[in-house]
Amino acid sequence: MTVNEAQDELIEDFDLFDEQLDKTQYIIDLGRKLPPIPEKYLTDDHLIRGCQSKVWLGAEFKENKLYFFADAEPTAQISKGLVSLLIKVLSGRTPDEIVNADLYLIQRVGMGGLITSLRSGGLASMIQKMKYYGTVYSNLIEK
């Protein structure tokens, strides 16, 4: 499944909901299903800067693919759900796929009505960090 196919699948899931509240609950539920993050990533070095809540993101490189792990403080259910969405789309991809991904999912599901401007900045920081990891590992492969 490509990055775009993963996004399209999530967009279809969101299309099942008419109400913003139901979409928000779906995001929270996705966050609850996020696998536990390895303890080694629960450090200040792995905090996403720009999030209003504490959100940790780590990446592991295996067989030319990046796998992401994330968690958020207990009161940050929506933030945890948002990072979970990104992981569903980007984890298990090559670094180049991550760097070059056009993440249209956010706009297509109407996230503007779901998240505050502060969360929007945090979401942008999550995407930036994931693409940063993609760039770092892409550069390592080429050497």
Side-chain angles (χ1 to χ4, degrees):
M1 180 181 295
T2 67
V3 169
N4 287 350
E5 288 169 341
Q7 289 185 94
D8 292 342
E9 189 174 281
L10 283 166
I11 290 166
E12 286 178 22
D13 291 347
F14 274 95
D15 284 345
L16 297 173
F17 305 109
D18 294 327
E19 302 294 323
Q20 293 287 21
L21 186 59
D22 294 329
K23 290 180 181 183
T24 301
Q25 187 58 51
Y26 181 63
I27 290 171
I28 291 169
D29 290 343
L30 287 173
R32 288 184 179 140
K33 294 175 185 173
L34 197 61
I37 189 170
E39 190 78 24
K40 66 184 177 181
Y41 296 122
L42 294 174
T43 66
D44 286 347
D45 291 340
H46 292 94
L47 278 173
I48 301 291
R49 307 289 177 220
C51 285
Q52 68 182 35
S53 305
K54 287 187 176 181
V55 177
W56 296 271
L57 178 71
E60 292 183 5
F61 188 64
K62 295 179 187 172
E63 298 176 7
N64 291 327
K65 294 185 179 181
L66 268 173
Y67 296 89
F68 294 102
F69 304 92
D71 200 358
E73 60 189 335
T75 58
Q77 295 178 355
I78 293 175
S79 295
K80 187 172 180 177
L82 292 173
V83 76
S84 177
L85 278 173
L86 295 175
I87 287 173
K88 282 183 155 300
V89 172
L90 296 176
S91 193
R93 311 275 176 206
T94 66
D96 285 342
E97 287 175 301
I98 293 165
V99 169
N100 296 313
D102 172 21
L103 297 174
Y104 56 81
L105 165 75
I106 308 306
Q107 292 176 308
R108 294 272 301 275
V109 299
M111 292 276 187
L114 298 174
I115 58 177
T116 64
S117 60
L118 286 174
R119 277 202 189 96
S120 179
L123 181 61
S125 294
M126 292 174 197
I127 293 168
Q128 181 181 13
K129 186 71 168 188
M130 292 173 120
K131 288 192 174 234
Y132 167 78
Y133 279 124
T135 301
V136 168
Y137 285 98
S138 180
N139 289 338
L140 289 176
I141 292 171
E142 292 174 9
K143 292 181 178 180

